[in-house]
Structures are given as structure tokens and as C-alpha cells.
Amino acid sequence: MKKAKAHFPKIRPIAYEGPKSANALSFKHYNPDEVIDGKTTTAHLRFSIAYWHAFRGVGSDPFGPGTIVRPWEKGTDAVSIARIRMDAAFEFFQKIRAPFWCFHDRDIAPEGRTLAQSNRNLDRLVDHAKDHQKATGVKLLWGTANLFSNRRYMCGASTNPDAHVFAYAAAQVKKALDVTQQLGGENYVFWGGREGYETLLNTNLRREQDHLAAFLHMAVDYAKSISFKGQFLIEPKPKEPTKHQYDFDVASGIAFLRTYGLEKHFKFNIETNHATLAGHTFAHEIEVAAAAGMLGSIDANAGDELLGWDTDQFNTNVRELTLAMISILRAGGLGSGGLNFDAKLRRPSIDPEDLFHAHIGGMDAYALAFKLARRILADGKLEQFVANRYASYDAGYGRDIAQRRLGFRELNKLVLTKLGEPKPCSGRQEYLENLLAQYLANGA
Ligand code: XUL
Ligand code: CO
């Protein structure tokens, strides 16, 4: 591929300089090439850059248009601009040392007047992405389709009351699956977008859920027919843009998938800010998915403690991330998933350099959390405490309960004749919080 002009000329590839470095444009904890358990840190953490925020985000909000004006966004032909934007994006992926990227179809190529035109635009940018992937080694973590921005989707895509819109969405996802496969995408994400409702006065909830399930079954069938090997992921979110989204959280997602016989084909892409919008902690959502063997990938971000909407901020809360990492590592990792920065700059952060500061902070926080979680698990104190707490189920009548070999009659007899009153035992929460604080303070 021809060497393109540099879009971040003043910024050199970000290097690991250690926790004491005064260079803001260096990693303090993320040491990409460090080998841990036979794998580089890059291979463990599988960081990914979200195209829509990093390269399509302009800082607009309900009170005003964008504030972020990128120097490469010049010209009149939308496809040519999209190509240059992609050049800038791949330069960024390399300089920030991210091994993966993610996109929605409409992030990378402009929507045309017809679906056929949109597909042609997409093909041109997919060819360009293929060249960039080959030249840089950056890979596609997942692809997806934007089924929420265009006005045709204002009442949903697969849950739209109009079958015409369902059909259009199906055609769009077919193409998004084709291009995700062409780019070697390791997963494909379904975020419900506008799959939900604003008012039951105009909504048949049962029919909408049936249609959503029909759509996902069609996606599974189509993926099989083209031998797409990527993992399908559902990304739950309780609200926004609609008041009530069908994939509310991981637990309701699991129930939905099992109700419609889809559970074998899907795992979960868990987003931190979506977890908190649902009234859960990030780690809770990870644990629920892991318990069902359905932990897939992470959309790494954070909300704001004082705001009740999806602020998609970069997460530098090492405590929260360490707890999440403990759950991820306990579950055996993310497999084909990764840590995708579904996070955006604040509206006044208008310089290209801010993109670097934001991602450096997010990557460093995760890298530190990864190391801390490994230490905590290796030390075993926490694991041992929890194991001891449930030890009464490991033998005797406790084991018989867990293995469902006893019923109410037998247990009734046991309590009346032998066991009597249980002896309460402290949960030791404060002790455990202090232990965690000590690990955090001592560093990795
Ligand atoms: C929206 C969101 C999406 C998905 C992909 O809140 O998280 O960007 O990650 O459609
Ligand atoms: Co997301």
C-alpha cells in the first residue's frame, strides 16, 4: 500500500515508559510487548478502537452541533473523505498500539440514496480497509449494522410495526455480515438500537419480541449459509434511545435467547455504562454472562456518577475495572472478544491529541486492573474466602442438596432430628473491602 501522508505528524507511536514517566503521551501500565503466561499483553487485553466515536464523533449533543473539526475532513465527495478518514484511523490504531478496530456499516462509508448505492459505497471502503488491515496487521474485532440513525428506523428495525422496515434491516444486516466476514471479523454485534418501545398505547410487545427473535434466527441461518465463523454477540442496554429496550440486561437477554431457542448461537457484549444504566455494577453483568457460559466481549467505557444517561466516557476507575477483571479472568477470559473502547471525548476536547490522551488513560487503567486482578487471584485470599463460605455444600447433606439428591421431606427430618438451628457466620464485607483497598494501594 502506498505510504499516505501523516495525519498525526507530531505524535510518535505510543511507548511504554512505566508508572513514573512524566511523558503524558506514554503508557504507564500498558506494556504491549510484555509477555505474561506465554502471551503478550496485547494478546491478553485485545484492545479495540470504536470507529464511530473515535472517527465519527464530533461532540454534538442535544443543545448544539459538533465542536470537533478534524483536519482530514475536507472535500466534497463523501466517499473520498471516507477514504482519507480511514487513513487517519489506521494511523491512529497503529500509533496507539491497538490490535483491533470495530465499526458499524455507516461509520465507514456514507449511506447512498438506495440500498444498492449504500452497498457500493461500503464495498469501496471495505476494499480500502482490507488494504489497511494487511499493511498494518490491525484486525477487526467485530462489525455491526447501524439500524438506529436513519429515520426509517424511528420505530425500530426488526421490531418495527412495518414489515417493509424489517425487510430493509434484514438486507442491511446481510451486507454487514458479508463485509464483516470479508474483513475477517472475529465477532458480529447486535445492539438493539431502537428495538424497544416508547408507549404500550401503540405497541404489541409480544409480536415485537417474536419479530426480533425471527430476525436473529435469520441472521444465524444466513451466517451458517456463508460459513461465517465469528461469534454472535448481543449487547444489552436498558434504555436509550427508547424508554424501554428489549435487551434490558444480560439476565433478560439470556431469558429472551432461551425462550426463542437462540442461546447456542449468542454470547454477550457487555458495556459498562449500559450495566450501570440497568442499575447493575459492571462486574455483576460479567458474572451473570459468565455463569451462563455466555461472556463474549466488553464495550469499555463508563458513565458519570451524577448523570443518568449514556455518557460513554473513558474509564479510569481502577477499582471498578479490577473487580471486572477478576470476574473476566475467573471466567477464563474473553475468547474471541476483546476490550473495545466504546467511549468518546468530551465536547470541549477538540484536538486530535485528545484522542491519544483518552485512549492512553483507558488502556493504562485496564492494563493495571489486569495486573492487579492477576495478583489478587494468584494470592488466593479472596478465592479461598469465598470457597470457605460455601464449603458446607462440598460434603455431606450440603453436597446432596447441591446435587439435588435430597428433598423437602428429608431436609425437614434432618433439621428436626439432627441439625437444629444454624449458626450465623459473618460475611466479613468490611474486611474484604480493606483487603481490596490494600491490593489497590500496593499496586501491581
Ligand atoms: C450504543 C452502543 C453501540 C453499540 C454498537 O449505546 O453501545 O455503539 O456498541 O452498536
Ligand atoms: Co456499545
Side-chain angles (χ1 to χ4, degrees), residues 86-388:
M86 188 173 276
D87 298 340
F90 273 86
E91 184 185 333
F92 177 72
F93 302 159
Q94 273 196 298
K95 287 187 166 168
I96 199 69
R97 317 281 301 271
F100 291 101
W101 68 303
C102 291
F103 67 87
H104 301 83
D105 48 4
R106 302 299 176 245
D107 300 337
I108 60 168
E111 182 147 16
R113 268 190 306 104
T114 62
L115 182 63
Q117 182 62 54
S118 300
N119 289 348
R120 278 194 295 275
N121 292 349
L122 190 53
D123 284 336
R124 290 178 62 189
L125 270 299
V126 166
D127 284 346
H128 199 47
K130 229 184 268 169
D131 291 343
H132 271 301
Q133 288 192 166
K134 202 159 157 232
T136 61
V138 174
K139 294 191 284 184
L140 181 63
L141 186 66
W142 49 263
T144 189
N146 179 330
L147 304 179
F148 44 88
S149 296
N150 191 289
R151 97 190 251 275
R152 80 176 71 86
Y153 296 124
M154 66 184 184
C155 299
S158 68
T159 62
N160 199 290
D162 182 358
H164 190 159
V165 180
F166 183 109
Y168 199 105
Q172 201 181 319
V173 170
K174 174 191 174 295
K175 181 68 181 173
L177 276 166
D178 289 342
V179 304
T180 299
Q181 185 181 38
Q182 282 165 33
L183 292 171
E186 299 192 17
N187 307 269
Y188 184 91
V189 164
F190 294 85
W191 167 55
R194 294 187 190 272
E195 313 292 27
Y197 66 85
E198 287 293 331
T199 172
L200 285 173
L201 292 173
N202 65 12
T203 301
N204 184 328
L205 182 144
R206 172 69 200 266
R207 288 191 81 166
E208 292 202 355
Q209 290 196 327
D210 287 353
H211 297 161
L212 174 56
F215 194 86
L216 296 179
H217 271 294
M218 287 179 202
V220 168
D221 292 345
Y222 181 69
K224 199 165 159 216
S225 77
I226 60 168
S227 305
F228 176 65
K229 295 282 178 295
Q231 172 68 49
F232 274 178
L233 301 170
I234 295 276
E235 181 176 328
K237 182 172 182 177
K239 51 191 163 206
E240 274 193 29
T242 49
K243 182 162 73 177
H244 189 104
Q245 303 271 130
Y246 290 127
D247 302 322
F248 187 93
D249 60 2
V250 175
S252 57
I254 292 171
F256 173 83
L257 293 171
R258 287 185 179 153
T259 302
Y260 289 98
L262 285 157
E263 69 276 14
K264 278 202 312 288
H265 306 286
F266 288 83
K267 289 185 175 177
F268 285 89
N269 183 37
I270 296 169
E271 179 161 324
T272 323
N273 203 171
H274 297 179
T276 47
L277 282 173
H280 301 309
T281 63
F282 181 27
H284 169 88
E285 288 292 81
I286 294 168
E287 288 283 338
V288 177
M294 294 167 96
L295 176 60
S297 198
I298 298 293
D299 264 6
N301 64 16
D304 183 287
E305 278 173 21
L306 303 181
L307 302 175
W309 64 89
D310 199 12
T311 59
D312 283 345
Q313 291 173 225
F314 284 83
N315 197 332
T316 54
N317 181 341
V318 176
R319 186 183 192 277
E320 179 179 43
L321 300 186
T322 301
L323 292 171
M325 268 296 167
I326 289 174
S327 296
I328 291 170
L329 294 179
R330 242 191 225 140
L334 295 170
S336 69
L339 300 168
N340 172 49
F341 290 105
D342 192 353
K344 64 186 175 208
L345 295 171
R346 297 307 89 192
R347 196 162 185 266
S349 301
I350 56 173
D351 293 341
E353 181 178 313
D354 291 315
L355 268 180
F356 284 89
H357 292 301
H359 286 85
I360 287 170
M363 291 163 122
D364 267 341
Y366 261 100
L368 178 56
F370 170 64
K371 291 181 203 169
L372 286 165
R374 281 176 54 86
R375 157 154 304 173
I376 291 168
L377 291 174
D379 268 10
K381 274 192 194 142
L382 195 63
E383 297 303 273
Q384 197 54 56
F385 182 91
V386 177
N388 289 345

